[in-house]
Amino acid sequence: MISAATAALGYKEGRNNDTTYGRWYGLNYNPWCDMAVSKWAEESGNAAAVGKFAYCPSHVNWFKARGQWIGWNSAARRGDIVFFSWDGGPVADHVGIVTEDSAPGSAVRTIEGNTSSGAAGSQDNGDGVYRRSRARSVILGFGRPAYDQPRGYAPFPGADWFKLSPRSPLITAMGRRLVAVGCSAYSEGPGPQWTDADRNSYAKWQRAQGFTGADADGWPGRKTWDALKVPAV
């Protein structure tokens, strides 16, 4: 989904909202932010999870009806569909996709269609597809699609989970994978309790993936977790 959105960066509309998104949806010459999100979903095989919409309030209601609506100040996840209300009211004005995890209260990084590259242009009827960073004050909430997980692999439990020093069979499974890929810092184990040995092993894995500095601090992130392919437990 994010790859499809990233591939569209730099796209610009024609006259009077003439776009590939409007032609695809069958509603050309209209504001197209939600049509862009819907098309990215179809292109990436996620249409069933994301839906197909041109009108943001209807899309919000669809997520709410499925129990997949997340409040505006909740932790945002990469892949969430973010809806905006510029005046703080209850009606969505605009939509995009979240490209990075974000803690509650933190700015949200997105890719959006039918917006402007900066504050000078229209935010919900702009000229193209751009990366943006949005304050929580303009966010209405998030739709959280039930994206398919790769079969047999454990989904990323979130970076904060590891910082709670969890005890779980998932930690054992992760440690065994780190040993298998040659990134062990264990003197014994691995076992179910998260320890410094797990963190040091994971830092080796991050470095093996090309990360350095603060990006190789041993705290798991989604990209390296997905690449490690930890078996589901």
Side-chain angles (χ1 to χ4, degrees):
M1 181 69 184
I2 293 175
S3 294
T6 300
L9 286 168
Y11 176 85
K12 291 193 175 183
E13 65 182 25
R15 290 173 59 87
N16 300 318
N17 277 327
D18 176 27
T19 66
T20 184
Y21 302 105
R23 292 191 293 273
W24 165 79
Y25 193 92
L27 196 62
N28 205 12
Y29 306 109
N30 282 279
W32 48 276
C33 59
D34 214 355
M35 291 186 272
V37 168
S38 299
K39 191 171 188 292
W40 298 334
E42 181 173 276
E43 290 171 349
S44 61
N46 289 295
V50 175
K52 183 177 182 179
F53 291 88
Y55 184 51
C56 293
S58 294
H59 207 169
V60 168
N61 290 337
W62 186 79
F63 278 118
K64 287 182 176 179
R66 294 162 68 93
Q68 296 172 342
W69 181 251
I70 308 298
W72 67 276
N73 204 31
S74 301
R77 293 182 186 172
R78 186 170 179 266
D80 282 351
I81 308 303
V82 55
F83 294 87
F84 302 95
S85 173
W86 307 127
D87 62 2
V91 178
D93 301 312
H94 183 60
V95 65
I97 183 169
V98 177
T99 58
E100 298 179 16
D101 292 353
S102 172
S106 299
V108 176
R109 297 187 181 277
T110 66
I111 295 175
E112 303 164 26
N114 200 27
T115 193
S116 298
S117 59
S122 173
Q123 301 305 297
D124 58 8
N125 197 12
D127 67 348
V129 178
Y130 299 103
R131 292 189 186 274
R132 299 304 308 267
S133 179
R134 302 289 193 183
R136 292 286 176 147
S137 60
V138 298
I139 293 176
L140 179 65
F142 305 89
R144 182 155 293 165
Y147 294 114
D148 289 338
Q149 295 293 336
R151 290 187 181 275
Y153 298 134
F156 180 53
D160 290 343
W161 183 74
F162 294 95
K163 295 181 180 181
L164 297 174
S165 297
R167 183 177 180 85
S168 168
L170 184 60
I171 299 299
T172 305
M174 177 203 73
R176 288 172 178 167
R177 281 293 299 147
L178 290 169
V179 171
V181 297
C183 292
S184 174
Y186 299 103
S187 58
E188 60 181 44
Q193 178 64 55
W194 174 265
T195 68
D196 286 342
D198 295 294
R199 186 176 174 187
N200 292 336
S201 297
Y202 204 93
K204 286 189 172 187
W205 171 243
Q206 290 168 325
R207 290 192 292 271
Q209 297 299 295
F211 292 95
T212 60
D215 293 326
D217 60 3
W219 294 114
R222 182 181 298 275
K223 186 173 182 179
T224 52
W225 181 270
D226 289 347
L228 187 58
K229 295 181 170 56
V230 178
V233 295

